[in-house]
Amino acid sequence: MNVTLSNTKKKISKDQFKDTILSDYRLAAEVRESGTQGRRDVLSGKGSFGIFGDGKELAQIALSKVFRNGDFRAGYYRDQALMTAIGQYSPKHMFSALYGDPELEREPSSGSRQMMNHFGTRFLNNDGSWRNLMEQKNSTSDMACLASQFPRLVGLAQASQVYRDNPEIAKRNSGFTNNGNEIAFATIGNSSCAEGHFWEAVNAIGVLQVPAIISIWDDGYGISVSNDVQMTKSDVSEVLSGFQNNEKGNGYEIVKVKGWDYPSLVTAYEMAENLAREEHIPSIIHVVEMTQPTGHSTSGSHERYKSKERLQWEQDFDCIRRFKEWIIESGIATIEELETIDQESVDTVKQQKKEAWTEYQAPIKAEWKELLEIFNSISEQLNIPEISDWVQDLNQLEMFGIFRRDFLSKARTLLAMIANENIPEKATLRNFINRINSENRERYNTKLYNETSTSVHNVSEVKPTYDADAKEVDGRIILRDNFHHMFDSIPEAMIFGEDVGKIGGVNQGCEGLQEKFGASRVADTGIREATIIGQGIGLALRGLRPIAEMQYLDYVIYGFQPMVDDIASLYYRTHGGQITPLIIRTRGHRLEGIWHSGSPMGMLLNGTRGMYLCVPRDMTRAAGFYNTLMQSNDPGMVIECLNGYRVKEKLPNNIGEFRVSLGKVETTKGGSDITLVTYGSTWRIVMNAADKLEKAGISCEVIDSQTLVPFDLSSDIVKSVKKTNRLLVIDEDVPGGASAYILQKVVEEQNAYNFLDSEPQTLSAKAHRPPYGKDGDYFTKPSVEDVFEKVYNMMSEVNPSKYPSLY
Ligand SMILES: Cc1ncc(C[n+]2csc(CCOP(=O)(O)OP(=O)(O)O)c2C)c(N)n1
């Protein structure tokens, strides 16, 4: 007899059906049991924090049935059953992550740089090249920040559309797509649906009509706060109902289904899969009546905020219990068969947990034993009573679980204690400390930036070249012509943002681009900065080369969260497993008005360590940075000068080919009295002031840093300071913003302190926002006169007779 569980076209035999159901049951039981045992491990101190997938197993197993190779997940920490069901996780992996095992072979999501159950699969090979993502089930890397997976979801789903609409790109990128058939699956908790990112992404996906399936795991609470506080009408799908496909237009297929109702869950996901994979119609599956049997996490107990009735209901409607009842009632298996699976699950989890712990502790214990021998031989030479106390404590710890910091802190303390002793064991101890530190640098402190051959640092510089009679053109023409060339030569290149498509951008840098390359590569977007950035992240993760445009620097703050939390930390938090080669284009610095002349460079560079920050002084350099970044796998932001689009620049004859290296400063005027470091829009002001100072007898060397991250990789600034012995940093950020960063780089890292004859100084804008109007600007941001007087005063301090005080 053939059975069908739902409306699936696939028929399977009765035995196969039973096997499937029992293997689903086993998986659910193992996930549940690993949560139970994991919780105990946290309470007994073996792990710091536990958050599990209990109560959500059945829906996730149903989802996994339609998750195919080449698909992508953008989810959160509850997806333990989903990740296990798609073969990317196991109880052993969960325990390795819970203990914080830093070895990638046991914790491949992040090498324990992340908390447990923050999932992610590996997209990159060790040499930085991309894996064939069509041969694996892909999970983008989770973040603890709720709803932060949603901006990225937009691009993950849109990539399928881009590939389907552009078969020639799909053909080039066969490791990333099969004709755009891939689905992007998102998961989110009910309470996180109160976040703006969720609504912004839901709207963007509805507008774009791209293949996303969004699952909402609704257990009625967000930690202690219940749905009546979280959501209008306490019901997210009720509120979402305006997004439902109907005669008024395309939106989503929205399904509400109970988290314990296995057949309905399977049917819902089959329906959603068909719509998404075949027709690119997105769906939202609102899974209600879910439970959280052990509460939100190991940090608290849900008995504090759930009523007795609710707690009883959670037991009665527990999805595994209901699944068990359904299996028995349907005659698929007996209670004895299921109880056997229950028992086997307990044993399996116990076994895997033991293996995870033993493998985690083995190398650490071996290091402790090595140190113990060093301790013993030092004790034989010197009378240090503390050593025996430490050994006793550490041996005790070893029985329960020992961290490297436990013994390394003692080793370092001892080294300081024997600093004046002359025994050979001192070198042994020092070597041991150095070795452990260096091994742990690799575990914990590497991969903030890509260091493989795909890094931007391996892209060679190509200087712009000019005809003898090169035309002088508006800066924006150089950008425009460069984009045309880039889009011709790189089929994966895309650009999108507010007003970018039809009119070619507010400053016309993309003029004619959409007509030539089509609306799927050059596109207008809605006004939704967070998901414009997210769109870029997702597209880049799927092999495309997006440029996401933020119309003005002042509005980057709306898109800042995905930059800070996602892009900048991605390579680090996946231990080199994922990277998003997204270019963010924006324009800022000097114009007029509080929101059109911001230059918050300190904020940007401090929030986004992990991505590059280019601050070109003109459009030739901006174009050069785009060309360089496009050749690498690294994420970067380019800030064009808002007041530079109509400034004349010579038109290079190698448009599209010249490349500006990141981290290379340019000395734009030589001098001997003082080094002036600047970048972006203030560069012209500084150059102007330097000319005036020259006439006053002060010789300034002007250096354009060109990029803030990376910063002056060959330490050229200190070479200048060695000559001038004086340093002034000028920008239009707040005081102590990027100028403080530059001082730290030059004075501390480049050691300029040793060569300074005057106090190093900064000249920046005022701390408040720049007010509107010419005078608002003049009295707020550094002017030519401000720079002149600042430098003059510094020289006056040195030689008051030659430079008498001005005021
Ligand atoms: C942006 C953000 N705010 C707050 C938190 C702290 N926090 C972690 S989990 C959580 C509740 C989430 O509830 P829900 O979305 O319903 O998911 P559940 O954990 O219940 O599956 C909160 C408030 C966070 N991680 N991120």
Side-chain angles (χ1 to χ4, degrees), residues 27 48 94-95 113 126 185 205 222 238 264 305 318 328 336 354 364 369 389 426 477 521 526 528 645 661 664 773:
L27 196 142
S48 306
M94 189 212 81
F95 283 104
R113 287 177 175 193
N126 289 343
F185 289 92
I205 289 167
E238 175 67 24
S264 301
Y305 50 81
D318 182 292
I328 296 164
E336 290 75 22
K354 200 168 149 199
I364 306 180
K369 289 283 171 252
D389 294 344
K426 195 163 84 180
I477 301 290
R521 291 180 63 198
R528 46 173 182 79
Y645 293 105
S661 293
K664 200 170 159 201

PDB file of all heavy atoms in Angstrom, residues 27 48 94-95 113 126 185 205 222 238 264 305 318 328 336 354 364 369 389 426 477 521 526 528 645 661 664 773:
ATOM      1  N   LEU A  27      15.145  11.985  16.011  1.00  0.00           N
ATOM      2  CA  LEU A  27      15.874  13.250  15.936  1.00  0.00           C
ATOM      3  C   LEU A  27      15.324  14.247  16.969  1.00  0.00           C
ATOM      4  O   LEU A  27      16.070  14.899  17.708  1.00  0.00           O
ATOM      5  CB  LEU A  27      15.762  13.818  14.524  1.00  0.00           C
ATOM      6  CG  LEU A  27      16.751  14.909  14.190  1.00  0.00           C
ATOM      7  CD1 LEU A  27      17.223  14.759  12.755  1.00  0.00           C
ATOM      8  CD2 LEU A  27      16.195  16.293  14.400  1.00  0.00           C
ATOM      9  N   SER A  48      29.237  28.012  30.111  1.00  0.00           N
ATOM     10  CA  SER A  48      28.851  29.294  30.718  1.00  0.00           C
ATOM     11  C   SER A  48      27.382  29.612  30.493  1.00  0.00           C
ATOM     12  O   SER A  48      26.747  30.274  31.308  1.00  0.00           O
ATOM     13  CB  SER A  48      29.675  30.421  30.110  1.00  0.00           C
ATOM     14  OG  SER A  48      31.024  30.140  30.227  1.00  0.00           O
ATOM     15  N   MET A  94      26.790  20.247  19.591  1.00  0.00           N
ATOM     16  CA  MET A  94      26.172  21.163  20.550  1.00  0.00           C
ATOM     17  C   MET A  94      26.985  21.229  21.848  1.00  0.00           C
ATOM     18  O   MET A  94      27.225  22.310  22.401  1.00  0.00           O
ATOM     19  CB  MET A  94      24.735  20.734  20.863  1.00  0.00           C
ATOM     20  CG  MET A  94      23.991  21.768  21.672  1.00  0.00           C
ATOM     21  SD  MET A  94      22.763  21.071  22.790  1.00  0.00           S
ATOM     22  CE  MET A  94      23.780  20.562  24.177  1.00  0.00           C
ATOM     23  N   PHE A  95      27.440  20.049  22.322  1.00  0.00           N
ATOM     24  CA  PHE A  95      28.209  20.062  23.575  1.00  0.00           C
ATOM     25  C   PHE A  95      29.565  20.733  23.378  1.00  0.00           C
ATOM     26  O   PHE A  95      30.026  21.477  24.249  1.00  0.00           O
ATOM     27  CB  PHE A  95      28.350  18.635  24.123  1.00  0.00           C
ATOM     28  CG  PHE A  95      27.086  18.156  24.774  1.00  0.00           C
ATOM     29  CD1 PHE A  95      26.259  17.253  24.131  1.00  0.00           C
ATOM     30  CD2 PHE A  95      26.699  18.648  26.014  1.00  0.00           C
ATOM     31  CE1 PHE A  95      25.074  16.832  24.720  1.00  0.00           C
ATOM     32  CE2 PHE A  95      25.506  18.239  26.607  1.00  0.00           C
ATOM     33  CZ  PHE A  95      24.692  17.328  25.957  1.00  0.00           C
ATOM     34  N   ARG A 113      33.927  31.072  18.819  1.00  0.00           N
ATOM     35  CA  ARG A 113      33.955  32.533  18.995  1.00  0.00           C
ATOM     36  C   ARG A 113      32.554  33.018  19.338  1.00  0.00           C
ATOM     37  O   ARG A 113      32.382  34.106  19.869  1.00  0.00           O
ATOM     38  CB  ARG A 113      34.477  33.180  17.712  1.00  0.00           C
ATOM     39  CG  ARG A 113      35.973  32.943  17.551  1.00  0.00           C
ATOM     40  CD  ARG A 113      36.553  33.494  16.284  1.00  0.00           C
ATOM     41  NE  ARG A 113      38.000  33.310  16.289  1.00  0.00           N
ATOM     42  CZ  ARG A 113      38.847  33.879  15.454  1.00  0.00           C
ATOM     43  NH1 ARG A 113      38.401  34.666  14.499  1.00  0.00           N
ATOM     44  NH2 ARG A 113      40.138  33.661  15.554  1.00  0.00           N
ATOM     45  N   ASN A 126      39.973  26.922   3.190  1.00  0.00           N
ATOM     46  CA  ASN A 126      40.996  27.569   4.024  1.00  0.00           C
ATOM     47  C   ASN A 126      41.812  28.604   3.260  1.00  0.00           C
ATOM     48  O   ASN A 126      42.338  29.544   3.851  1.00  0.00           O
ATOM     49  CB  ASN A 126      41.954  26.527   4.615  1.00  0.00           C
ATOM     50  CG  ASN A 126      41.240  25.706   5.671  1.00  0.00           C
ATOM     51  OD1 ASN A 126      40.179  26.109   6.166  1.00  0.00           O
ATOM     52  ND2 ASN A 126      41.781  24.547   5.989  1.00  0.00           N
ATOM     53  N   PHE A 185      15.619  30.491   3.552  1.00  0.00           N
ATOM     54  CA  PHE A 185      14.724  30.205   4.684  1.00  0.00           C
ATOM     55  C   PHE A 185      15.105  31.095   5.865  1.00  0.00           C
ATOM     56  O   PHE A 185      16.284  31.115   6.263  1.00  0.00           O
ATOM     57  CB  PHE A 185      14.883  28.756   5.121  1.00  0.00           C
ATOM     58  CG  PHE A 185      14.317  27.759   4.145  1.00  0.00           C
ATOM     59  CD1 PHE A 185      15.109  27.212   3.149  1.00  0.00           C
ATOM     60  CD2 PHE A 185      12.990  27.366   4.226  1.00  0.00           C
ATOM     61  CE1 PHE A 185      14.585  26.289   2.254  1.00  0.00           C
ATOM     62  CE2 PHE A 185      12.461  26.449   3.325  1.00  0.00           C
ATOM     63  CZ  PHE A 185      13.259  25.904   2.334  1.00  0.00           C
ATOM     64  N   ILE A 205      10.885  42.108   0.709  1.00  0.00           N
ATOM     65  CA  ILE A 205      10.736  40.809   0.019  1.00  0.00           C
ATOM     66  C   ILE A 205       9.396  40.746  -0.708  1.00  0.00           C
ATOM     67  O   ILE A 205       9.295  40.233  -1.824  1.00  0.00           O
ATOM     68  CB  ILE A 205      10.900  39.656   1.035  1.00  0.00           C
ATOM     69  CG1 ILE A 205      12.370  39.576   1.459  1.00  0.00           C
ATOM     70  CG2 ILE A 205      10.436  38.310   0.464  1.00  0.00           C
ATOM     71  CD1 ILE A 205      12.633  38.712   2.669  1.00  0.00           C
ATOM     72  N   GLY A 222       8.616  36.426  24.783  1.00  0.00           N
ATOM     73  CA  GLY A 222      10.004  36.796  24.500  1.00  0.00           C
ATOM     74  C   GLY A 222      10.651  36.940  25.855  1.00  0.00           C
ATOM     75  O   GLY A 222      10.399  37.922  26.551  1.00  0.00           O
ATOM     76  N   GLU A 238      -1.956  37.883  12.103  1.00  0.00           N
ATOM     77  CA  GLU A 238      -3.130  38.753  11.946  1.00  0.00           C
ATOM     78  C   GLU A 238      -2.657  40.126  11.424  1.00  0.00           C
ATOM     79  O   GLU A 238      -3.215  40.691  10.492  1.00  0.00           O
ATOM     80  CB  GLU A 238      -3.820  38.894  13.316  1.00  0.00           C
ATOM     81  CG  GLU A 238      -4.977  39.852  13.384  1.00  0.00           C
ATOM     82  CD  GLU A 238      -6.182  39.389  12.573  1.00  0.00           C
ATOM     83  OE1 GLU A 238      -6.308  38.175  12.343  1.00  0.00           O
ATOM     84  OE2 GLU A 238      -6.967  40.272  12.160  1.00  0.00           O
ATOM     85  N   SER A 264       0.158  18.694   9.398  1.00  0.00           N
ATOM     86  CA  SER A 264      -0.119  20.035   8.856  1.00  0.00           C
ATOM     87  C   SER A 264       1.169  20.813   8.625  1.00  0.00           C
ATOM     88  O   SER A 264       1.282  21.596   7.675  1.00  0.00           O
ATOM     89  CB  SER A 264      -1.008  20.832   9.812  1.00  0.00           C
ATOM     90  OG  SER A 264      -2.199  20.138  10.010  1.00  0.00           O
ATOM     91  N   TYR A 305       7.511  33.620  35.506  1.00  0.00           N
ATOM     92  CA  TYR A 305       6.574  34.485  34.781  1.00  0.00           C
ATOM     93  C   TYR A 305       5.438  33.740  34.086  1.00  0.00           C
ATOM     94  O   TYR A 305       4.554  34.371  33.530  1.00  0.00           O
ATOM     95  CB  TYR A 305       7.327  35.391  33.798  1.00  0.00           C
ATOM     96  CG  TYR A 305       8.303  34.669  32.893  1.00  0.00           C
ATOM     97  CD1 TYR A 305       7.876  34.005  31.752  1.00  0.00           C
ATOM     98  CD2 TYR A 305       9.666  34.659  33.193  1.00  0.00           C
ATOM     99  CE1 TYR A 305       8.780  33.352  30.925  1.00  0.00           C
ATOM    100  CE2 TYR A 305      10.580  34.007  32.374  1.00  0.00           C
ATOM    101  CZ  TYR A 305      10.130  33.356  31.238  1.00  0.00           C
ATOM    102  OH  TYR A 305      11.019  32.705  30.434  1.00  0.00           O
ATOM    103  N   ASP A 318       3.074  19.826  24.397  1.00  0.00           N
ATOM    104  CA  ASP A 318       4.472  19.615  23.997  1.00  0.00           C
ATOM    105  C   ASP A 318       4.499  18.883  22.656  1.00  0.00           C
ATOM    106  O   ASP A 318       3.825  17.870  22.458  1.00  0.00           O
ATOM    107  CB  ASP A 318       5.152  18.760  25.060  1.00  0.00           C
ATOM    108  CG  ASP A 318       6.606  18.538  24.739  1.00  0.00           C
ATOM    109  OD1 ASP A 318       6.927  17.836  23.741  1.00  0.00           O
ATOM    110  OD2 ASP A 318       7.425  19.074  25.476  1.00  0.00           O
ATOM    111  N   ILE A 328       1.152   6.810  17.649  1.00  0.00           N
ATOM    112  CA  ILE A 328       0.481   5.619  18.202  1.00  0.00           C
ATOM    113  C   ILE A 328      -0.953   5.532  17.670  1.00  0.00           C
ATOM    114  O   ILE A 328      -1.397   4.480  17.182  1.00  0.00           O
ATOM    115  CB  ILE A 328       0.514   5.663  19.747  1.00  0.00           C
ATOM    116  CG1 ILE A 328       1.976   5.587  20.216  1.00  0.00           C
ATOM    117  CG2 ILE A 328      -0.291   4.514  20.346  1.00  0.00           C
ATOM    118  CD1 ILE A 328       2.199   5.990  21.655  1.00  0.00           C
ATOM    119  N   GLU A 336       5.859   0.967  22.888  1.00  0.00           N
ATOM    120  CA  GLU A 336       7.128   0.323  23.266  1.00  0.00           C
ATOM    121  C   GLU A 336       8.247   0.742  22.296  1.00  0.00           C
ATOM    122  O   GLU A 336       9.374   1.033  22.715  1.00  0.00           O
ATOM    123  CB  GLU A 336       7.009  -1.208  23.266  1.00  0.00           C
ATOM    124  CG  GLU A 336       6.155  -1.781  24.385  1.00  0.00           C
ATOM    125  CD  GLU A 336       4.654  -1.588  24.152  1.00  0.00           C
ATOM    126  OE1 GLU A 336       4.246  -1.402  22.975  1.00  0.00           O
ATOM    127  OE2 GLU A 336       3.892  -1.580  25.151  1.00  0.00           O
ATOM    128  N   LYS A 354      29.955  12.870  26.324  1.00  0.00           N
ATOM    129  CA  LYS A 354      31.216  12.423  26.920  1.00  0.00           C
ATOM    130  C   LYS A 354      32.372  12.624  25.929  1.00  0.00           C
ATOM    131  O   LYS A 354      33.444  13.122  26.292  1.00  0.00           O
ATOM    132  CB  LYS A 354      31.072  10.933  27.265  1.00  0.00           C
ATOM    133  CG  LYS A 354      32.052  10.451  28.271  1.00  0.00           C
ATOM    134  CD  LYS A 354      31.671   9.079  28.760  1.00  0.00           C
ATOM    135  CE  LYS A 354      32.960   8.331  29.112  1.00  0.00           C
ATOM    136  NZ  LYS A 354      32.773   6.913  29.173  1.00  0.00           N
ATOM    137  N   ILE A 364      44.029  20.521  26.596  1.00  0.00           N
ATOM    138  CA  ILE A 364      44.236  21.496  27.685  1.00  0.00           C
ATOM    139  C   ILE A 364      44.918  20.802  28.867  1.00  0.00           C
ATOM    140  O   ILE A 364      45.864  21.331  29.473  1.00  0.00           O
ATOM    141  CB  ILE A 364      42.894  22.129  28.104  1.00  0.00           C
ATOM    142  CG1 ILE A 364      42.190  22.714  26.871  1.00  0.00           C
ATOM    143  CG2 ILE A 364      43.091  23.188  29.174  1.00  0.00           C
ATOM    144  CD1 ILE A 364      40.856  23.373  27.135  1.00  0.00           C
ATOM    145  N   LYS A 369      49.735  19.446  32.188  1.00  0.00           N
ATOM    146  CA  LYS A 369      50.741  18.468  32.650  1.00  0.00           C
ATOM    147  C   LYS A 369      52.156  18.974  32.317  1.00  0.00           C
ATOM    148  O   LYS A 369      53.088  18.812  33.105  1.00  0.00           O
ATOM    149  CB  LYS A 369      50.523  17.117  31.953  1.00  0.00           C
ATOM    150  CG  LYS A 369      49.279  16.385  32.431  1.00  0.00           C
ATOM    151  CD  LYS A 369      49.512  15.728  33.785  1.00  0.00           C
ATOM    152  CE  LYS A 369      48.228  15.176  34.380  1.00  0.00           C
ATOM    153  NZ  LYS A 369      47.706  15.915  35.519  1.00  0.00           N
ATOM    154  N   ASP A 389      50.426  25.305  46.320  1.00  0.00           N
ATOM    155  CA  ASP A 389      48.988  25.640  46.419  1.00  0.00           C
ATOM    156  C   ASP A 389      48.359  25.633  45.026  1.00  0.00           C
ATOM    157  O   ASP A 389      47.274  25.104  44.808  1.00  0.00           O
ATOM    158  CB  ASP A 389      48.780  27.030  47.025  1.00  0.00           C
ATOM    159  CG  ASP A 389      49.234  27.084  48.465  1.00  0.00           C
ATOM    160  OD1 ASP A 389      49.410  25.991  49.062  1.00  0.00           O
ATOM    161  OD2 ASP A 389      49.438  28.199  48.974  1.00  0.00           O
ATOM    162  N   LYS A 426      63.708  29.256  33.852  1.00  0.00           N
ATOM    163  CA  LYS A 426      63.003  30.508  33.534  1.00  0.00           C
ATOM    164  C   LYS A 426      62.728  30.597  32.026  1.00  0.00           C
ATOM    165  O   LYS A 426      61.637  30.981  31.592  1.00  0.00           O
ATOM    166  CB  LYS A 426      63.844  31.708  33.980  1.00  0.00           C
ATOM    167  CG  LYS A 426      63.065  32.989  34.029  1.00  0.00           C
ATOM    168  CD  LYS A 426      63.750  34.050  34.837  1.00  0.00           C
ATOM    169  CE  LYS A 426      64.761  34.793  34.003  1.00  0.00           C
ATOM    170  NZ  LYS A 426      65.457  35.847  34.744  1.00  0.00           N
ATOM    171  N   ILE A 477      31.568  62.551 -13.625  1.00  0.00           N
ATOM    172  CA  ILE A 477      31.739  61.902 -14.926  1.00  0.00           C
ATOM    173  C   ILE A 477      32.747  60.759 -14.816  1.00  0.00           C
ATOM    174  O   ILE A 477      32.580  59.689 -15.419  1.00  0.00           O
ATOM    175  CB  ILE A 477      32.224  62.932 -15.993  1.00  0.00           C
ATOM    176  CG1 ILE A 477      31.232  64.071 -16.144  1.00  0.00           C
ATOM    177  CG2 ILE A 477      32.532  62.263 -17.333  1.00  0.00           C
ATOM    178  CD1 ILE A 477      29.919  63.688 -16.797  1.00  0.00           C
ATOM    179  N   ARG A 521      20.302  44.609 -12.377  1.00  0.00           N
ATOM    180  CA  ARG A 521      21.667  44.918 -11.917  1.00  0.00           C
ATOM    181  C   ARG A 521      21.794  46.358 -11.418  1.00  0.00           C
ATOM    182  O   ARG A 521      22.708  46.667 -10.635  1.00  0.00           O
ATOM    183  CB  ARG A 521      22.676  44.657 -13.039  1.00  0.00           C
ATOM    184  CG  ARG A 521      22.825  43.168 -13.354  1.00  0.00           C
ATOM    185  CD  ARG A 521      23.835  42.938 -14.469  1.00  0.00           C
ATOM    186  NE  ARG A 521      25.171  43.374 -14.106  1.00  0.00           N
ATOM    187  CZ  ARG A 521      26.156  43.599 -14.982  1.00  0.00           C
ATOM    188  NH1 ARG A 521      25.926  43.425 -16.273  1.00  0.00           N
ATOM    189  NH2 ARG A 521      27.338  43.988 -14.573  1.00  0.00           N
ATOM    190  N   GLY A 526      13.336  50.775  -2.228  1.00  0.00           N
ATOM    191  CA  GLY A 526      12.544  51.570  -1.299  1.00  0.00           C
ATOM    192  C   GLY A 526      13.478  52.272  -0.317  1.00  0.00           C
ATOM    193  O   GLY A 526      14.683  52.017  -0.281  1.00  0.00           O
ATOM    194  N   ARG A 528      14.904  52.233   2.757  1.00  0.00           N
ATOM    195  CA  ARG A 528      15.017  51.181   3.775  1.00  0.00           C
ATOM    196  C   ARG A 528      16.494  50.807   3.926  1.00  0.00           C
ATOM    197  O   ARG A 528      16.932  49.733   3.478  1.00  0.00           O
ATOM    198  CB  ARG A 528      14.160  49.978   3.375  1.00  0.00           C
ATOM    199  CG  ARG A 528      14.323  49.543   1.895  1.00  0.00           C
ATOM    200  CD  ARG A 528      13.575  48.251   1.614  1.00  0.00           C
ATOM    201  NE  ARG A 528      13.746  47.797   0.262  1.00  0.00           N
ATOM    202  CZ  ARG A 528      14.812  47.147  -0.220  1.00  0.00           C
ATOM    203  NH1 ARG A 528      15.825  46.877   0.574  1.00  0.00           N
ATOM    204  NH2 ARG A 528      14.870  46.755  -1.471  1.00  0.00           N
ATOM    205  N   TYR A 645      31.373  66.508  -6.599  1.00  0.00           N
ATOM    206  CA  TYR A 645      30.862  65.969  -7.874  1.00  0.00           C
ATOM    207  C   TYR A 645      31.036  66.940  -9.044  1.00  0.00           C
ATOM    208  O   TYR A 645      31.131  66.519 -10.183  1.00  0.00           O
ATOM    209  CB  TYR A 645      29.390  65.578  -7.745  1.00  0.00           C
ATOM    210  CG  TYR A 645      29.210  64.406  -6.812  1.00  0.00           C
ATOM    211  CD1 TYR A 645      28.703  64.588  -5.525  1.00  0.00           C
ATOM    212  CD2 TYR A 645      29.569  63.122  -7.210  1.00  0.00           C
ATOM    213  CE1 TYR A 645      28.558  63.523  -4.660  1.00  0.00           C
ATOM    214  CE2 TYR A 645      29.430  62.047  -6.350  1.00  0.00           C
ATOM    215  CZ  TYR A 645      28.921  62.258  -5.071  1.00  0.00           C
ATOM    216  OH  TYR A 645      28.794  61.193  -4.223  1.00  0.00           O
ATOM    217  N   SER A 661      45.446  51.556  -4.057  1.00  0.00           N
ATOM    218  CA  SER A 661      45.669  50.588  -2.972  1.00  0.00           C
ATOM    219  C   SER A 661      45.117  51.116  -1.659  1.00  0.00           C
ATOM    220  O   SER A 661      45.196  52.313  -1.384  1.00  0.00           O
ATOM    221  CB  SER A 661      47.164  50.330  -2.797  1.00  0.00           C
ATOM    222  OG  SER A 661      47.644  49.675  -3.927  1.00  0.00           O
ATOM    223  N   LYS A 664      47.480  53.065   1.712  1.00  0.00           N
ATOM    224  CA  LYS A 664      48.656  53.770   1.193  1.00  0.00           C
ATOM    225  C   LYS A 664      48.386  55.265   1.207  1.00  0.00           C
ATOM    226  O   LYS A 664      47.445  55.732   0.557  1.00  0.00           O
ATOM    227  CB  LYS A 664      48.904  53.297  -0.239  1.00  0.00           C
ATOM    228  CG  LYS A 664      50.300  53.570  -0.686  1.00  0.00           C
ATOM    229  CD  LYS A 664      50.612  52.895  -1.990  1.00  0.00           C
ATOM    230  CE  LYS A 664      51.788  53.623  -2.598  1.00  0.00           C
ATOM    231  NZ  LYS A 664      51.930  53.443  -3.985  1.00  0.00           N
ATOM    232  N   GLY A 773      23.764  76.522   6.296  1.00  0.00           N
ATOM    233  CA  GLY A 773      24.205  77.818   5.763  1.00  0.00           C
ATOM    234  C   GLY A 773      25.718  77.961   5.747  1.00  0.00           C
ATOM    235  O   GLY A 773      26.440  77.255   6.439  1.00  0.00           O
TER     236      GLY A 773
END
